[in-house]
Amino acid sequence: MNRIGERIKKKRELHKLNLNELAGKVGISPSALSQIEKSKSFPSIVTLKSIAENLHTTMGELLGENEVIANNPVVLRNEMKLTDQNRSGTNIYLLSHHDINKQMDTYLVRFAKTSGMENLLSDSHGQIFCHVLSGEIRFQIEEKTYLLKQGDSIYFNAKSSKEAVNNSDGISEMLWIQSPANF
Amino acid sequence: MNRIGERIKKKRELHKLNLNELAGKVGISPSALSQIEKSKSFPSIVTLKSIAENLHTTMGELLGENEVIANNPVVLRNEMKLTDQNRSGTNIYLLSHHDINKQMDTYLVRFAKTSGMENLLSDSHGQIFCHVLSGEIRFQIEEKTYLLKQGDSIYFNAKSSKEAVNNSDGISEMLWIQSPANF
DNA sequence: TTAATATATTAAGTTTTACTTCATATATGA
DNA sequence: TCATATATGAAGTAAAACTTAATATATTAA
């Protein structure tokens, strides 16, 4: 929080801009920018926004929100923790301990034959990456349908209407990774 | 950006707090909070920080940085794009198109026998989740060593000193997912 | 319904502080 | 070492966050 200045300066130098140049783009005086970098003052939100855009980064990044420390590396062998299951036979396993500092939620989803997840993990925000580990899974994202086989991946918005069902005779499995974490 | 107010109000009501209560916790007058929620004014960064903490969320979230829209769902079959390879035989494939709006970088790393990645993907920020798809991989995170087999996962800070080498006779593969994206 | 209380919004004034101006320092290079 | 570029500092200004206090709008009870 009190190191926004450092981060801005670092990013600015990374982009090979001097105070005048960046200040010009942002729309404040070089002196003002200097004071911000030296932590003599905080930028207003509108200036922070402009600084972030001109340094091709996000406000959260400059605010240091991505520097939180995750706890010790957690290794989970095949003993995963079941977090959710529905009647049709879809099981969702956690692939890392829930932690307030985690950026990502990581799950393994195992479908019994002819099972699916419709309203599971719904009402979430951020973005989702899925990777099919085995079998064949049919995704419906908004209106479109995607048929994914082992080794395929898909990336979509968490806010989308989404549905995934097993499309194979046996068990199908996929990784489900979501960022930022919804805990 | 101009909808910070809406988001704060929504979160506040989710936590079943009224203006007085939240304002009290934050350390500003209820009126000031109302004006912020009604977009009559922006909070200062320090107030925003306090609001975020009291609503158990992040500033970036309130600033709407997690609402960016990823492009159309991208499905990549087994035809992945090679992005990096080193002499010893480690290949890194991209599992989704690079996109400024993406929260996560998603890779598949394929190790030839006795290959590894030491300085690949180094100097990055955020957090990393790895999942072993096949073979056996030895991780060294800071001082500690972890031996991961197929189906195992590990979650650690991108800033950590890290190293991964193939520990099997044949090919080993893993997913490498990093958030926020480093592009 | 009506009164009584809780909760939210608005207007106007105050105060904090982000930002400007301009002078000075420090670095870089010919 | 002079000249130019770049960064920092002091002092003042202007903008806007925040306060106070009054008013409106819900919510509840009688």
Side-chain angles (χ1 to χ4, degrees):
Chain A
M1 256 299 285
N2 40 350
R3 283 169 38 179
I4 308 178
E6 295 177 34
R7 288 184 212 101
I8 292 175
K9 181 170 187 181
K10 200 171 165 186
K11 281 269 179 194
R12 173 174 64 78
E13 289 171 341
L14 217 69
H15 285 260
K16 299 198 196 307
L17 293 170
N18 61 33
L19 283 174
N20 294 277
E21 293 168 326
L22 180 57
K25 288 170 186 282
V26 170
I28 58 174
S29 67
S31 171
L33 184 54
S34 170
Q35 290 170 64
I36 290 169
E37 288 189 354
K38 289 267 146 193
S39 295
K40 305 287 183 193
S41 73
F42 287 119
S44 71
I45 289 187
V46 288
T47 31
L48 180 63
K49 171 82 172 171
S50 178
I51 291 173
E53 282 172 353
N54 282 290
L55 293 179
H56 303 101
T57 184
T58 63
M59 294 184 276
E61 183 73 27
L62 296 177
L63 289 164
E65 296 197 320
N66 302 329
E67 289 182 8
V68 289
I69 310 291
N71 288 340
N72 296 329
V74 180
V75 183
L76 302 182
R77 308 273 150 175
N78 282 315
E79 349 118 348
M80 306 158 300
K81 192 176 152 203
L82 184 64
T83 61
D84 208 344
Q85 63 186 142
N86 67 8
R87 36 245 149 279
S88 67
T90 304
N91 292 341
I92 302 181
Y93 300 89
L94 206 56
L95 289 186
S96 57
H97 297 317
H98 272 317
D99 178 333
I100 187 68
N101 288 328
K102 286 242 167 73
Q103 299 263 345
M104 294 176 271
D105 287 329
T106 56
Y107 302 101
L108 184 140
V109 182
R110 179 174 291 146
F111 298 98
K113 23 186 165 179
T114 70
S115 79
M117 51 196 293
E118 289 84 32
N119 36 16
L120 267 57
L121 296 180
S122 63
D123 188 36
S124 57
H125 63 272
Q127 300 175 358
I128 294 166
F129 169 78
C130 286
H131 182 85
V132 178
L133 295 171
S134 65
E136 187 173 314
I137 297 168
R138 192 178 70 243
F139 281 84
Q140 178 131 14
I141 311 294
E142 300 294 356
E143 302 83 23
K144 292 181 183 162
T145 301
Y146 307 89
L147 202 60
L148 305 216
K149 301 182 180 181
Q150 180 181 341
D152 294 346
S153 305
I154 188 169
Y155 196 117
F156 55 94
N157 281 324
K159 281 227 168 69
S160 313
S161 77
K162 51 192 178 293
E163 187 181 312
V165 295
N166 190 355
N167 202 60
S168 77
D169 294 338
I171 286 173
S172 289
E173 287 180 320
M174 67 174 178
L175 288 180
W176 174 289
I177 290 136
Q178 188 155 354
S179 177
N182 283 243
F183 62 87
Chain B
M1 256 297 286
N2 39 351
R3 285 171 34 182
I4 307 178
E6 297 176 34
R7 287 184 215 100
I8 292 175
K9 181 171 188 181
K10 199 170 164 187
K11 281 269 181 196
R12 173 174 65 77
E13 290 172 342
L14 215 68
H15 285 260
K16 302 199 194 304
L17 293 171
N18 61 33
L19 283 174
N20 294 277
E21 293 168 327
L22 181 56
K25 289 170 186 281
V26 170
I28 59 175
S29 67
S31 170
L33 184 54
S34 171
Q35 291 170 66
I36 290 168
E37 289 189 355
K38 289 266 145 194
S39 295
K40 305 287 183 193
S41 73
F42 287 119
S44 72
I45 289 188
V46 287
T47 338
L48 180 63
K49 171 81 173 171
S50 178
I51 292 173
E53 281 173 353
N54 282 291
L55 293 179
H56 303 101
T57 183
T58 63
M59 293 184 276
E61 183 73 25
L62 296 177
L63 289 164
E65 297 197 320
N66 301 329
E67 290 181 9
V68 289
I69 311 292
N71 288 341
N72 297 329
V74 181
V75 184
L76 301 182
R77 309 272 150 175
N78 282 316
E79 349 118 349
M80 305 157 301
K81 192 175 152 205
L82 184 64
T83 60
D84 208 345
Q85 63 186 143
N86 68 6
R87 35 246 149 280
S88 67
T90 304
N91 292 339
I92 301 182
Y93 300 89
L94 206 56
L95 288 187
S96 57
H97 297 316
H98 272 318
D99 178 334
I100 187 69
N101 288 328
K102 286 242 168 72
Q103 299 262 344
M104 294 177 271
D105 288 329
T106 56
Y107 302 101
L108 184 141
V109 182
R110 180 175 289 145
F111 298 99
K113 24 188 165 176
T114 69
S115 79
M117 50 195 297
E118 289 84 32
N119 36 15
L120 265 57
L121 295 179
S122 62
D123 189 36
S124 57
H125 64 273
Q127 300 176 357
I128 293 167
F129 170 78
C130 287
H131 182 86
V132 177
L133 296 171
S134 66
E136 187 173 315
I137 297 168
R138 194 178 68 244
F139 280 84
Q140 178 130 15
I141 311 293
E142 300 295 357
E143 301 83 24
K144 292 182 183 162
T145 301
Y146 307 89
L147 203 60
L148 305 216
K149 303 184 179 180
Q150 181 182 338
D152 293 345
S153 305
I154 188 169
Y155 195 118
F156 54 95
N157 281 324
K159 282 229 168 68
S160 313
S161 76
K162 51 193 178 291
E163 188 180 313
V165 295
N166 190 354
N167 203 60
S168 77
D169 294 340
I171 286 173
S172 288
E173 287 179 319
M174 67 173 177
L175 288 181
W176 175 289
I177 290 135
Q178 190 156 352
S179 177
N182 283 243
F183 64 89

